[in-house]
Amino acid sequence: MDDLLKVENLRMDFGDFRALDDVSFSMGKGRLVGLIGPNGCGKSTMMKCICRINEMTSGTVLVDGQDVSSLKPSEVAKLVATVPAEAGQTFGMTVMDMVMLGRYPFVDRIWWETKEDEQVVREALRAFGLDGLRRKQVSLCSSGERQRALIAKAYVQEPKLMLVDEPTSHLDMKYKLDVMEYLQSMARSDMTVMVAEHDISLMARYCDTCIIMKKGRIVTIGDPKEVITADLIRDVYEVDARVGLDEDGEIYVLPKRYAGERETS
């Protein structure tokens, strides 16, 4: 399988702090990839380097064979789409307006959406169950509706790679599953989707591959049913956990207790 994403010797320094240290991996097309690790391990920083929000200190990132450091922002946007954890300020924007913004990489000079843009957006709205909400202000949408709108916005960029940061952090159980089903269906359509998420059980259930990070480095990569173990959870999170399979063969992680050394003043 050809590599869709190839990261080689990626390093990111913020002053004296090394956020990413010699990160290397590759991923094929049509994969749902879970990016897992504790706060501050470098998950979001790595995704920002891949899409060039952050300019890496050193290393190489290839997407579909193209070095992103040599591309213009509009060219990167045709390869890589990002879905932030929060929608940010929407200023009275409707759901359709927000999703239409995803077509900006295809606009030449003056913004004016074409019939093709409108068709792509309407199809995405229907696919994500948002067509009936297209005139609703984003600020009035539920958390689940806003998250689907953000994903639809990234989807209409028609990227090769989608980077999604904590998509279920403010969602209840129903919408967590709903969002993950949408992301999984996009991966099945030959798009590679990378998701940074704290819900390990959710990642283990839906993802084809998990990348486990700790302190700016990759600990391991592989099938979640093989790499997610009680020993790994203890090493990465300093937590004792029960890891097992339920009656449907789905992996679950049940945290039990903190296993590290507590700081003393």
Side-chain angles (χ1 to χ4, degrees):
M1 182 180 293
D2 294 334
D3 291 330
L4 185 280
L5 171 64
K6 190 169 185 178
V7 177
E8 295 181 318
N9 309 119
L10 175 59
R11 194 180 82 202
M12 184 69 206
D13 296 332
F14 294 100
D16 295 332
F17 175 67
R18 180 153 296 175
L20 296 172
D21 188 9
D22 196 29
V23 171
S24 297
F25 67 93
S26 59
M27 284 293 155
K29 298 178 181 179
R31 308 290 291 175
L32 180 55
V33 182
L35 192 54
I36 300 172
N39 290 332
C41 71
K43 302 187 299 295
S44 296
T45 299
M46 185 174 75
M47 291 200 298
K48 288 177 180 178
C49 287
I50 291 172
C51 66
R52 285 191 62 195
I53 292 175
N54 287 342
E55 292 294 337
M56 68 193 82
T57 303
S58 62
T60 305
V61 175
L62 302 177
V63 179
D64 202 27
Q66 300 186 64
D67 187 339
V68 298
S69 67
S70 67
L71 301 177
K72 298 177 181 177
S74 61
E75 294 172 328
V76 175
K78 291 181 180 180
L79 292 173
V80 186
T82 62
V83 180
E86 300 284 352
Q89 296 294 330
T90 55
F91 301 109
M93 188 181 297
T94 66
V95 170
M96 186 163 181
D97 291 337
M98 172 180 276
V99 177
M100 186 65 77
L101 288 174
R103 297 298 294 169
Y104 82 90
F106 303 95
V107 174
D108 185 19
R109 298 179 184 172
I110 300 174
W111 171 260
W112 190 264
E113 59 267 24
T114 65
K115 289 184 178 179
E116 180 185 355
D117 293 324
E118 291 183 4
Q119 182 179 350
V120 170
V121 168
R122 287 299 297 272
E123 287 176 357
L125 290 170
R126 286 190 286 270
F128 288 90
L130 295 167
D131 198 44
L133 304 173
R134 64 185 183 276
R135 296 187 179 89
K136 186 175 181 179
Q137 289 190 22
V138 176
S139 61
L140 301 178
C141 290
S142 69
S143 296
E145 291 167 346
R146 281 197 299 274
Q147 197 61 45
R148 280 184 285 150
L150 285 170
I151 295 171
K153 173 178 173 287
Y155 178 79
V156 300
Q157 283 180 228
E158 300 178 355
K160 303 286 186 178
L161 173 66
M162 184 181 291
L163 306 175
V164 189
D165 194 11
E166 297 187 27
T168 71
S169 58
H170 302 297
L171 305 183
D172 62 26
M173 287 186 288
K174 172 189 173 183
Y175 286 116
K176 282 178 185 282
L177 297 174
D178 196 30
V179 165
M180 291 308 300
E181 292 284 349
Y182 281 117
L183 295 176
Q184 188 180 61
S185 68
M186 283 188 286
R188 298 292 176 263
S189 68
D190 211 30
M191 181 190 300
T192 293
V193 181
M194 179 178 288
V195 185
E197 179 61 64
H198 288 294
D199 191 328
I200 303 173
S201 296
L202 198 66
M203 293 292 93
R205 175 179 178 182
Y206 284 97
C207 292
D208 303 301
T209 303
C210 282
I211 300 174
I212 317 296
M213 296 187 68
K214 177 184 178 182
K215 296 182 179 179
R217 299 182 68 92
I218 291 177
V219 176
T220 189
I221 301 176
D223 184 323
K225 290 183 179 180
E226 296 176 1
V227 300
I228 296 177
T229 64
D231 287 342
L232 179 128
I233 298 298
R234 185 183 179 91
D235 174 51
V236 172
Y237 289 93
E238 298 183 309
V239 168
D240 284 330
R242 179 175 298 166
V243 179
L245 298 178
D246 64 18
E247 61 185 10
D248 297 318
E250 303 287 355
I251 192 171
Y252 68 85
V253 178
L254 178 63
K256 303 292 285 186
R257 63 187 63 84
Y258 174 64
E261 295 184 4
R262 298 190 183 278
E263 295 181 3
T264 58
S265 56

